[in-house]
Amino acid sequence: MKNLDDTFRSEAKKAAEIMRKGGIILYPTDTIWGIGCDATNEEAVQRIFRLKERADSKSMLVLTDSEAKLQGLMDEVPEMAWDLIELTNKPLTIIYPAAKGVAPSLIAEDGTLGIRVTREPFSTELCRLMRVPVVSTSANKSGQPAAQTYAQIAPEIIEGVDYVVECRRQEKGGQPSAIIRLGTKGEVEVLRQ
């Protein structure tokens, strides 16, 4: 029998292969189950918008596996972000100004992008293998409650993706992340604690 680390690696490798080909996946994250794709692939991003029946004007966040990779997603990482990332003890999504380096429809009309540096083993490995940010949006139709467990995910969501990760299906998920918006002049706005 494979140990947990081997299973995580094998599943992350399969999921990354699907996403590199433009596919979308259902996967466990550092918060709740998410729908994901290569965040630089506009066509894959649009498939997620359609699956979720989500308005294009409502952007989705992305995951990355390291603080170093933030540099490529904006011209300058606000100084406050480093402190927030270092000090947080729970998943934290930061909405950054002047985003770049992802599919255009992920960037909000005001130029912002929500990014979370994940520390959860599976999503970290997935991001490491992809080498680009990974979309992470809740595994539900827009306006419906987020699924806390795999069992709560609607069949049409499961059927609408190209791959469903085998890991952590029996676990109860966490809570959605905290969300903080950073402004270009050092403003900080807490949107969700």
Side-chain angles (χ1 to χ4, degrees):
M1 185 172 176
K2 286 183 176 181
N3 70 34
L4 194 58
D5 288 343
D6 287 343
T7 301
F8 268 37
R9 278 199 239 4
S10 171
E11 283 295 299
K13 187 176 177 185
K14 286 179 198 172
E17 286 170 7
I18 297 289
M19 289 193 296
R20 278 192 206 100
K21 294 175 183 171
I24 62 175
I25 65 165
L26 191 57
Y27 69 112
T29 73
D30 52 343
T31 56
I32 56 180
W33 274 80
I35 304 170
C37 71
D38 173 345
T40 65
N41 184 324
E42 179 66 27
E43 190 175 314
V45 170
Q46 287 301 318
R47 284 187 61 205
I48 293 177
F49 275 115
R50 287 191 300 272
L51 178 61
K52 286 183 64 77
E53 298 173 359
R54 186 178 182 123
D56 287 357
S57 60
K58 243 186 138 183
S59 58
M60 298 181 283
L61 70 93
V62 301
L63 295 181
T64 187
D65 60 318
S66 71
E67 291 88 346
K69 290 183 181 172
L70 286 175
Q71 303 287 355
L73 298 174
M74 64 203 79
D75 290 329
E76 184 178 342
V77 178
E79 198 58 43
M80 172 67 74
W82 303 119
D83 293 334
L84 291 169
I85 293 167
E86 184 179 321
L87 297 173
T88 189
N89 57 4
K90 68 181 252 183
L92 171 66
T93 300
I94 300 176
I95 299 176
Y96 294 91
K100 65 179 185 179
V102 295
S105 62
L106 288 175
I107 299 174
E109 287 180 8
D110 64 359
T112 60
L113 174 65
I115 305 168
R116 187 165 69 245
V117 177
T118 182
R119 301 198 192 316
E120 182 273 327
F122 182 80
S123 52
T124 297
E125 179 68 1
L126 189 61
C127 290
R128 186 189 71 75
L129 289 169
M130 287 299 293
R131 297 189 185 115
V132 296
V134 173
V135 168
S136 182
T137 184
S138 57
N140 60 319
K141 295 282 187 184
S142 190
Q144 298 296 313
Q148 294 296 309
T149 64
Y150 175 77
Q152 294 173 340
I153 300 170
E156 60 268 23
I157 295 291
I158 295 170
E159 292 161 11
V161 300
D162 300 305
Y163 188 71
V164 180
V165 171
E166 295 288 335
C167 302
R168 295 181 38 209
R169 289 191 185 184
Q170 305 307 315
E171 296 176 22
K172 183 178 188 309
Q175 296 295 315
S177 70
I179 302 175
I180 293 177
R181 178 189 301 270
L182 296 182
T184 55
K185 296 182 175 102
E187 312 91 337
V188 177
E189 180 184 4
V190 178
L191 301 178
R192 183 169 68 200
Q193 292 187 13

